[in-house]
Amino acid sequence: DVKVTQSSRYLVKRTGEKVFLECVQDMDHENMFWYRQDPGLGLRLIYFSYDVKMKEKGDIPEGYSVSREKKERFSLILESASTNQTSMYLCASRDSSYNSPLHFGNGTRLTVT
Amino acid sequence: DAKTTQPPSMDCAEGRAANLPCNHSTISGNEYVYWYRQIHSQGPQYIIHGLKNNETNEMASLIITEDRKSSTLILPHATLRDTAVYYCIVITQGAAGNKLTFGGGTRVLVKP
């Protein structure tokens, strides 16, 4: 069965800390995505990657970076966490082939104090 | 990718059919319509998708209009566990590197 695993369910970090959110998928998918979700704003795309070492900015990339060194792993990095980055972060992956759905992890709820 | 528009919320009686509309008037010929739902504190769960024909699976039915500018997700016999936010998105067939963007979704409340 399809599996997208996010390393932490809940995280609490301090302002200014460097934060790594990890995501691993076991389906050999080319495409991986990071979203954040906030009340009233739906899901907003931060970054996505369509291949190893490739990345593209989404709608709200400011304050974030990403790393895709291996196909199965896509990391979201907050270089210097701020309180306005407190949110639910969702990772997703998708095959590039015909008719492929997007598969999500269960999310990481990050609180920056 | 085409944008989608959904009503922000709707209520449904338990045991009745829930019909969730989605407008995607700028959809192009090779874009599929996908539906997801999200139960509180979990990631979105894939429900169903289609191109132009109506589709049915064990979870729901998808009706796409002939001009493909809108669709309706049907939950045939809603249960309390169907209370969730439902998202409609469009995805280009086989596209790599496409930016997939979700709108606000429809918050469905199933009432006993």
Side-chain angles (χ1 to χ4, degrees):
Chain A
D1 199 11
V2 164
K3 200 163 179 69
V4 178
T5 303
Q6 294 184 231
S7 56
S8 302
R9 193 82 172 94
Y10 299 94
L11 271 181
V12 179
K13 297 291 182 181
R14 293 187 182 277
T15 300
E17 277 193 81
K18 189 169 186 176
V19 181
F20 292 86
L21 302 184
E22 305 289 344
C23 176
V24 177
Q25 49 95 1
D26 64 357
M27 298 158 286
D28 203 36
H29 284 171
E30 292 88 357
N31 304 292
M32 297 187 74
F33 305 80
W34 275 106
Y35 294 85
R36 65 176 283 177
Q37 185 174 34
D38 302 286
L41 296 178
L43 278 79
R44 293 182 292 165
L45 180 65
I46 306 171
Y47 267 96
F48 67 99
S49 168
Y50 54 90
D51 202 350
V52 175
K53 296 192 186 295
M54 305 304 289
K55 59 185 179 183
E56 294 284 344
K57 292 179 180 179
D59 297 316
I60 50 163
E62 296 79 18
Y64 303 93
S65 62
V66 289
S67 172
R68 184 118 182 250
E69 296 297 317
K70 293 185 178 181
K71 192 175 186 181
E72 67 270 20
R73 185 180 298 270
F74 192 36
S75 303
L76 180 69
I77 304 157
L78 288 66
E79 294 288 342
S80 178
S82 64
T83 55
N84 63 13
Q85 292 178 309
T86 291
S87 186
M88 167 71 92
Y89 289 87
L90 289 160
C91 175
S93 74
R94 177 176 176 259
D95 191 78
S96 294
S97 63
Y98 178 87
N99 230 359
S100 174
L102 197 63
H103 300 277
F104 284 88
N106 273 332
T108 295
R109 185 165 293 281
L110 172 68
T111 302
V112 182
T113 60
Chain B
D1 290 335
K3 299 288 187 190
T4 60
T5 305
Q6 299 174 252
S9 64
M10 64 182 293
D11 293 345
C12 176
E14 186 180 19
R16 306 293 291 268
N19 297 297
L20 283 64
C22 180
N23 182 286
H24 31 80
S25 58
T26 59
I27 194 169
S28 59
N30 63 347
E31 288 184 316
Y32 279 72
V33 180
Y34 282 75
W35 282 83
Y36 287 79
R37 73 177 185 185
Q38 187 174 25
I39 297 169
H40 184 63
S41 297
Q42 295 182 19
Q45 175 192 20
Y46 165 75
I47 301 173
I48 198 168
H49 71 280
L51 182 64
K52 55 183 177 181
N53 297 320
N54 298 338
E55 302 287 344
T56 296
N57 64 19
E58 66 278 4
M59 292 181 69
S61 295
L62 175 60
I63 309 297
I64 302 174
T65 57
E66 194 169 338
D67 63 5
R68 301 204 333 115
K69 293 183 185 298
S70 65
S71 60
T72 301
L73 179 75
I74 300 172
L75 307 177
H77 304 287
T79 71
L80 299 180
R81 288 180 297 176
D82 291 323
T83 291
V85 179
Y86 289 77
Y87 294 98
C88 163
I89 64 171
V90 292
I91 301 177
T92 303
Q93 170 192 330
N98 269 22
K99 193 172 69 170
L100 305 177
T101 305
F102 284 63
T106 297
R107 188 172 298 276
V108 173
L109 176 62
V110 180
K111 297 181 174 179

